[in-house]
Amino acid sequence: MNKKELLSLTAAGCAAALAAGTVTSVELTQTYLDAIEERDGEIGAYLTVAKELALSSAAASDGRRAAGKPLSALDGVPYAMKDNVCTQGVRTTCASRMLENFVPPYSATIYQKLNAAGCVMLGKVNMDEFAMGSSTETSYFKKTRNPVNTARVPGGSSGGSAAAVAAQLAAFAIGTDTGGSIRQPASFCGVVGMKPTYGRVSRFGVVAFASSLDQVGPLTRTVEDSALVLNILAGQDPLDASSLPHAVPDYAKSARPASLAGLKIGLPEEYFGPGIEESTRKAVLHTAELLKAQGAVVERCSLPLADYALPTYYIISSAEACSNLGRYDGIKYGHRTKEARTLDEIVTRSRSEGFGDEVKRRILLGTFTLSSGYYDAYYKKAQQARTLIMQDYAKAFEQFDCLLTPVSPCTAWEFGRMSDDPLEMYAADICTVSVNVAGLCALSLPCGADEQGLPIGAQLIGRPLAEETLYRVGAALEAARKEA
Amino acid sequence: MEFETVIGLEVHAELSTQSKIYCTCSTAFGASENTHICPVCTGMPGVLPALNKSVVEYCVKAGLALNCKINQYSRQDRKHYFYPDLPKAFQTSQYDLPLCYDGYLDIDVPEGDPLDGKAQKSTYRKRFGITRIHIEEDAGKLLHGAGSTRIDYNRCGVPLIEIVTEPDFRTAGEVHAFLTMLRSILIYAGVSNCRMEEGSMRCDVNLSLRPGPDAPFGTRTETKNIASMSATVRAIEYERKRQKKVLEKGGVITQDTMRWDDERGLNYAMRSKEDAHDYFYFPEPDIMPIEVDDEWLGRIKASLPELPNARRERYMADYGLPAYDAGFLTGERALAEYFDDAVAAGAPPKSASNWLMSDFARLTNEHSLTWDALPLSPEDLAKCIALVESGKISRTSGSKILDAVFSGDTRTPDELVAALGLAQVSDEGAIRAMCEEVVANNPKPVADFKAGKEKALTSLVGQVMKASKGKANPALVNKLLRELLA
């Protein structure tokens, strides 16, 4: 296979080629490293390329394969890791000046799992600073461009992950999703993004933004790839008390195209209102028709509390963020100011210099909502609203196996268009945040393009631990679109 | 002017668990700096806490021992502040749902100055309310050097319980008696070793004055950094007098946090209410709510040992021991268990108590030994007592055996009796011969005794004992002399 063919392989395709011996992991990895060197200057997905580490992992993988002992289906397949996942010995910055030179002394559980499966980490990819943002523009280091149209943002916060997959600079990528940070960039870049159920994947070693909302998941070229990667990531971790004890099924089994007969899919009307761009609305409704054609029953439904999800999300996430980011004080690791005489000055100036505006904005919001005197009016209220939003969904899931909505009200925007108006940027999260607030799983799938050729994403929302249902619907949709 | 002193306490005790509250690092005291640390307890980016279940058990144990109600559904909260010894910039604690609440302790409070060293005092019984007990983590330690400050994170994440009392104390004596009993109970329950000198038990004192028992509470101060039981008494006396002086001059007490300097014997304000922290408490999202179901609670209850008060009552009721003896023996769990074992091995309770209060108290002090590290087994103590009470050796010889064993002699009491020649002569013929000789050689005391002077017999007994080199059985000597002089 030539380089172009190798780069166009899905993760499952890479696995097949490696298994057939048509390519070695070292060749595959070197091909990706070359591609990164040639093209990432324009895309800007990678913050750190772990060249030597990747090649030595690839060589080890080839050794195992030669010995007939591959570690998993994806042994030897190269991927990109979002830069908020701690990787022992490899710089982990969270795209922040605060952690510019931070090399973790330990590895996240998911990095250990990917290593144990033999996957080859090519490097660490760009993101919004501490995952706060929807365009990867809040990164301290650089812009990441949307491979579909480089004048556009890739979405965020896992913009580097989505761009790396879309630009064929990694076979798959790992992202994190606190309010849409996997699904929205996947949608903007035209790839598949899975936000698993809260607790399905360990958060240990994933730098926390909002503890009760954060979740790790794969960004891939196909539904099947997504399932293969989730097979590796999912499972209970004794180091993460919020991780769920439920057995992990073989997700790949559900990610095969099959009839959707017997499935009921809901279209919550609140997600198709006036704020949604017409081309997006049309594409998602067309998706509904495709699903019907596969045998699913699709009906309109209502989530009356949908409007409350956005304020609830921003109160809870900012409160948790302000708490989680307190540890960056310039004392133990990370950025320390050069001009300080007292302890107070070290802390205040290190934080003032180390954090960007968006991070500071969230810290201030969180500090305000947790202040004594305001706690009841904001944080406590938000927690009560959260319970009601969960009930809202639970009611819908009594009738439907999953829900179909847009991922984003609009397609990828031009650089700078939203960065002056944080409220407008926050509003763009309207379709994704409630999934995190309610702890559900959701899959973002390409479902068309707008007039400018920019990808549109459809979101399938499932009840807790219904990832298999989402993969089943996703695989059917993928197949239907290919035929159409 | 006369004032009533009102005191409430916040006691922190480090739990005796093997590992820290959220990671598996050791809690051992005294290790080299930063050797008992990991990414979790040093708050590295991305780490999560994994709650050590025994911390919950230890806290519930403490709660049960202090007559608390148990919140079977409780949770942890984050308490935020910036300080280099707190690597996460929040302390994981409990805010509105502590594990234990609404308990009490009944104490026999000795009258008078707790530090005057007098052993036996009259007491009055008083109940002190316990508001709550919750779990939290300890912080690290700043090491200030010349021109630089370093941080030791070894203590970071060591589990603590905080015990908050009602403002029920009126004197330093009450506080002293309470802390003594509290310490004893926590050690009994195996919850904490309560070594104030290692910082494993610390006490903050909230103190205010008011004109009389019916007046509303005055403004209080909180005194921190009290590192010993006696320092608590000194700090309370100092703060009471300081506030009294201010009030007598018509001044106002401000709600300050004070720091006690025991070396200089004074208090100074660390911060005032104006710069009181807002701790931004909120429920810890990384730790699931703590549910102590009936089954778990039952197991914890069953694991509690007999506590000092119950034991004290038992010693008085079952063994007929005086209150003072019972109080002494139950002061420490190891001592009480030693006593129980000696009694179980056949020692008469009052004799065992006497030996422990006299010889043992002296010897543990001389050899700086704790009650859990005695060189003589309880069975051997019972043996010694039996040797004395059967007349085989004298009580003095009994002490000699203890002296030898505490000095490192590993031979058994029987071997020591033989080796040191301590066996009493109880051969009636031999002793009668000695008695006859003494009677013959001491006409004056003999005459005195016959004239009715009972005391004269003591001198004759002494002569016989001397002649036997202390080995004659004194009771037998007494009996034979009386026969000879009858």
Side-chain angles (χ1 to χ4, degrees):
Chain A
M1 273 189 267
N2 64 29
K3 283 194 172 193
K4 202 177 162 200
E5 286 166 339
L6 281 179
L7 294 175
S8 70
L9 291 174
T10 62
C14 291
L18 288 165
T22 32
V23 67
T24 64
S25 178
V26 169
E27 286 163 7
L28 191 57
T29 302
Q30 189 60 58
T31 306
Y32 271 109
L33 290 171
D34 293 345
I36 292 166
E37 198 163 317
E38 282 161 30
R39 289 191 284 114
D40 197 47
E42 191 195 359
I43 302 298
Y46 283 83
L47 293 176
T48 303
V49 179
K51 194 174 168 183
E52 284 171 24
L53 177 66
L55 287 171
S56 72
S57 313
S61 170
D62 287 335
R64 286 190 295 269
R65 197 168 295 277
K69 288 176 182 167
L71 292 171
S72 75
L74 299 185
D75 195 337
V77 179
Y79 73 99
M81 182 76 99
K82 189 174 180 179
D83 210 20
N84 60 350
V85 177
C86 283
T87 44
Q88 187 170 2
V90 179
R91 193 174 73 124
T92 300
T93 68
C94 292
S96 178
R97 184 185 185 195
M98 184 57 91
L99 292 178
E100 187 168 5
N101 298 309
F102 178 68
V103 178
Y106 78 106
S107 288
T109 298
I110 57 151
Y111 181 49
Q112 295 187 31
K113 285 188 162 195
L114 286 160
N115 284 339
C119 300
V120 174
M121 188 177 80
L122 294 165
K124 308 289 291 285
V125 287
N126 204 14
M127 54 188 279
D128 282 297
E129 184 179 8
F130 282 100
M132 297 171 190
S134 310
S135 64
T136 313
E137 288 169 287
T138 70
S139 166
Y140 169 69
F141 299 105
K142 61 180 176 187
K143 276 181 191 169
T144 297
R145 296 179 180 278
N146 191 321
V148 180
N149 178 340
T150 53
R152 305 272 168 160
V153 300
S157 66
S158 308
S161 306
V165 174
Q168 301 189 346
L169 298 175
F172 68 91
I174 301 300
T176 63
D177 189 316
T178 304
S181 281
I182 287 174
R183 290 160 285 159
Q184 184 255 24
S187 158
F188 278 20
C189 295
V191 300
V192 176
M194 170 57 109
K195 197 297 275 188
T197 306
Y198 183 75
R200 181 73 291 191
V201 178
S202 167
R203 292 182 294 119
F204 186 81
V206 179
V207 180
F209 159 14
S211 310
S212 72
L213 302 161
D214 295 345
Q215 189 59 198
V216 176
L219 291 99
T220 55
R221 299 182 200 179
T222 64
V223 173
E224 183 192 18
D225 282 4
S226 183
L228 287 170
V229 179
L230 190 59
N231 275 348
I232 296 169
L233 300 178
Q236 192 178 20
D237 179 3
L239 298 178
D240 176 0
S242 66
S243 67
L244 298 169
H246 306 72
V248 180
D250 179 0
Y251 293 113
K253 278 188 185 158
S254 359
R256 288 169 196 152
S259 160
L260 299 182
L263 268 187
K264 268 188 94 176
I265 298 172
L267 291 175
E269 57 192 22
E270 291 79 6
Y271 286 81
F272 294 88
I276 308 295
E277 275 180 3
E278 189 52 26
S279 53
T280 298
R281 209 173 67 87
K282 270 189 184 158
V284 178
L285 290 176
H286 175 66
T287 302
E289 294 307 314
L290 290 179
L291 294 175
K292 272 187 203 165
Q294 299 302 310
V297 173
V298 182
E299 283 173 14
R300 287 178 178 272
C301 67
S302 174
L303 291 168
L305 298 178
D307 281 354
Y308 296 97
L310 203 60
T312 300
Y313 169 80
Y314 273 94
I315 290 169
I316 293 173
S317 65
S318 303
E320 293 180 359
C322 107
S323 171
N324 286 329
L325 270 60
R327 71 191 64 203
Y328 308 107
D329 56 5
I331 303 285
K332 309 165 289 285
Y333 46 73
H335 176 75
R336 183 188 292 193
T337 184
K338 291 194 167 57
E339 296 162 49
R341 284 155 302 167
T342 64
L343 179 58
D344 273 357
E345 281 179 12
I346 292 180
V347 176
T348 308
R349 291 194 184 173
S350 298
R351 289 170 68 78
S352 297
E353 296 166 8
F355 291 138
D357 287 348
E358 186 57 35
V359 172
K360 286 178 191 163
R361 190 176 291 125
R362 310 277 181 121
I363 291 174
L364 288 173
L365 274 173
T367 308
F368 173 72
T369 55
L370 287 180
S371 301
S372 61
Y374 295 99
Y375 180 87
D376 285 356
Y378 292 98
Y379 189 79
K380 202 172 168 191
K381 256 278 150 61
Q383 287 294 6
Q384 290 163 344
R386 183 175 200 171
T387 305
L388 295 175
I389 291 166
M390 285 179 179
Q391 291 168 356
D392 212 16
Y393 269 112
K395 211 177 276 172
F397 286 127
E398 283 171 12
Q399 264 192 290
F400 299 101
D401 297 295
C402 63
L403 306 175
L404 173 67
T405 75
V407 176
S408 166
C410 59
T411 51
W413 54 79
E414 286 165 355
F415 286 96
R417 204 192 93 197
M418 298 270 209
S419 44
D420 294 335
D421 187 348
L423 275 185
E424 198 188 345
M425 178 99 87
Y426 295 173
D429 297 340
I430 188 92
C431 301
T432 47
V433 292
S434 66
V435 168
N436 302 74
V437 168
L440 310 170
C441 55
L443 184 64
S444 169
L445 294 157
C447 72
D450 67 6
E451 305 76 36
Q452 290 146 302
L454 296 167
I456 296 169
Q459 174 173 243
L460 291 165
I461 303 173
R463 54 171 78 94
L465 293 172
E467 283 83 358
E468 287 169 285
T469 308
L470 304 187
Y471 282 140
R472 181 180 163 200
V473 178
L477 183 63
E478 206 173 50
R481 287 192 67 231
K482 231 180 245 170
E483 279 168 27
Chain B
M1 279 188 342
E2 281 311 307
F3 291 99
E4 185 183 58
T5 313
V6 177
I7 304 166
L9 305 175
E10 287 167 31
V11 181
H12 288 88
E14 280 188 354
L15 301 179
S16 308
T17 54
Q18 294 291 305
S19 55
K20 292 187 180 182
I21 183 165
Y22 302 122
C23 60
T24 54
C25 289
S26 164
T27 57
F29 181 81
S32 321
E33 289 158 30
N34 293 315
T35 51
H36 291 170
I37 61 169
C38 73
V40 173
C41 55
T42 53
M44 286 287 156
V47 294
L48 296 172
L51 178 63
N52 179 348
K53 270 197 166 181
S54 38
V55 171
V56 175
E57 285 175 9
Y58 281 47
C59 180
V60 170
K61 259 190 192 183
L64 293 171
L66 301 174
N67 307 297
C68 287
K69 300 187 174 102
I70 306 300
N71 261 324
Q72 289 186 257
Y73 182 91
S74 119
R75 66 161 182 246
Q76 294 213 261
D77 300 272
R78 294 182 179 181
K79 176 183 180 180
H80 300 81
Y81 60 94
F82 285 108
Y83 204 64
D85 66 3
L86 191 69
K88 294 181 289 184
F90 59 80
Q91 179 192 34
T92 310
S93 179
Q94 294 192 285
Y95 183 53
D96 54 358
L97 285 174
L99 263 173
C100 317
Y101 65 101
D102 199 9
Y104 64 86
L105 208 47
D106 289 328
I107 311 248
D108 290 324
V109 184
E111 305 270 6
D113 178 0
L115 299 185
D116 65 8
K118 288 183 194 145
Q120 299 210 36
K121 295 177 179 181
S122 60
T123 61
Y124 59 95
R125 178 158 285 209
K126 183 170 169 180
R127 174 166 291 190
F128 299 95
I130 289 163
T131 316
R132 57 182 281 162
I133 310 175
H134 67 252
I135 55 173
E136 60 186 30
E137 56 182 334
D138 210 345
K141 197 177 171 191
L142 297 193
L143 307 164
H144 299 286
S148 74
T149 296
R150 289 169 305 123
I151 313 169
D152 177 9
Y153 288 120
N154 278 352
R155 304 316 291 161
C156 225
V158 169
L160 295 175
I161 49 172
E162 179 175 334
I163 302 163
V164 182
T165 76
E166 293 293 300
D168 288 346
F169 302 88
R170 297 295 172 264
T171 64
E174 291 185 353
V175 171
H176 189 269
F178 176 87
L179 288 177
T180 306
M181 179 58 92
L182 179 66
R183 188 173 172 276
S184 166
I185 288 175
L186 294 180
I187 295 173
Y188 255 80
V191 165
S192 170
N193 63 25
C194 295
R195 295 192 185 124
M196 283 187 101
E197 69 284 2
E198 290 179 5
S200 74
M201 181 167 156
R202 308 189 281 268
C203 180
D204 300 340
V205 171
N206 289 293
L207 187 147
S208 64
L209 300 184
R210 60 177 169 180
D214 299 324
F217 289 141
T219 305
R220 67 186 159 83
T221 60
E222 182 181 6
T223 303
K224 290 181 175 285
N225 192 43
I226 305 176
S228 74
M229 215 73 104
S230 55
T232 314
V233 174
R234 287 191 290 272
I236 287 171
E237 277 310 299
Y238 180 90
E239 182 57 17
R240 183 184 66 80
K241 286 179 190 155
R242 188 190 70 82
Q243 289 194 16
K244 185 164 185 267
K245 232 182 253 174
V246 172
L247 292 173
E248 280 172 345
K249 281 188 196 153
V252 182
I253 303 295
T254 51
Q255 193 180 330
D256 293 337
T257 302
M258 321 282 289
R259 191 180 165 83
W260 174 247
D261 184 334
D262 201 43
E263 238 165 71
R264 290 153 71 198
L266 54 83
N267 244 350
Y268 57 93
M270 284 161 71
R271 57 174 184 263
S272 67
K273 200 196 175 189
E274 283 70 51
D275 37 56
H277 286 111
D278 183 341
Y279 290 118
F280 306 103
Y281 277 105
F282 84 105
E284 166 60 86
D286 287 327
I287 299 172
M288 300 302 103
I290 303 167
E291 286 182 68
V292 184
D293 59 21
D294 291 341
E295 198 264 334
W296 194 13
L297 187 59
R299 266 189 292 137
I300 300 171
K301 259 183 195 158
S303 75
L304 263 186
E306 186 183 27
L307 294 169
N309 266 344
R311 210 160 202 155
R312 211 169 125 257
E313 304 292 330
R314 178 165 66 85
Y315 287 178
M316 291 166 70
D318 292 5
Y319 300 149
L321 291 181
Y324 180 79
D325 290 44
F328 173 84
L329 293 171
T330 54
E332 280 192 39
R333 181 177 171 181
L335 168 57
E337 284 176 351
Y338 188 91
F339 169 78
D340 279 345
D341 290 346
V343 171
K350 180 56 185 160
S351 306
S353 170
N354 287 344
W355 283 58
L356 287 165
M357 289 195 295
S358 56
D359 293 72
F360 276 64
R362 172 177 60 82
L363 287 164
T364 48
N365 193 28
E366 278 174 21
H367 295 278
S368 304
L369 290 171
T370 52
W371 291 106
D372 56 1
L374 298 177
L376 187 79
S377 72
E379 293 73 24
D380 281 348
L381 170 60
K383 176 80 188 166
C384 288
I385 293 172
L387 285 169
V388 170
E389 298 194 351
S390 67
K392 290 233 173 71
I393 61 170
S394 67
R395 179 66 181 81
T396 320
S397 297
S399 296
K400 281 183 188 158
I401 292 177
L402 294 186
D403 285 343
V405 172
F406 274 77
S407 301
D409 202 319
T410 55
R411 286 176 287 188
T412 66
D414 280 333
E415 287 166 356
L416 283 165
V417 168
L420 302 177
L422 301 177
Q424 290 192 132
V425 178
S426 295
D427 172 353
E428 218 176 298
I431 294 175
R432 185 183 293 275
M434 278 187 264
C435 288
E436 281 167 355
E437 199 181 331
V438 166
V439 168
N441 294 339
N442 293 280
K444 174 89 171 53
V446 169
D448 285 351
F449 181 77
K450 285 187 170 166
K453 279 191 183 168
E454 268 291 313
K455 270 193 174 173
L457 190 68
T458 318
S459 148
L460 294 171
V461 172
Q463 291 290 331
V464 179
M465 293 305 291
K466 200 177 161 190
S468 75
K469 291 176 184 143
K471 290 179 190 170
N473 182 336
L476 191 59
V477 172
N478 221 298
K479 177 182 155 246
L480 292 173
L481 279 173
R482 280 185 191 276
E483 280 174 22
L484 287 171
L485 299 173

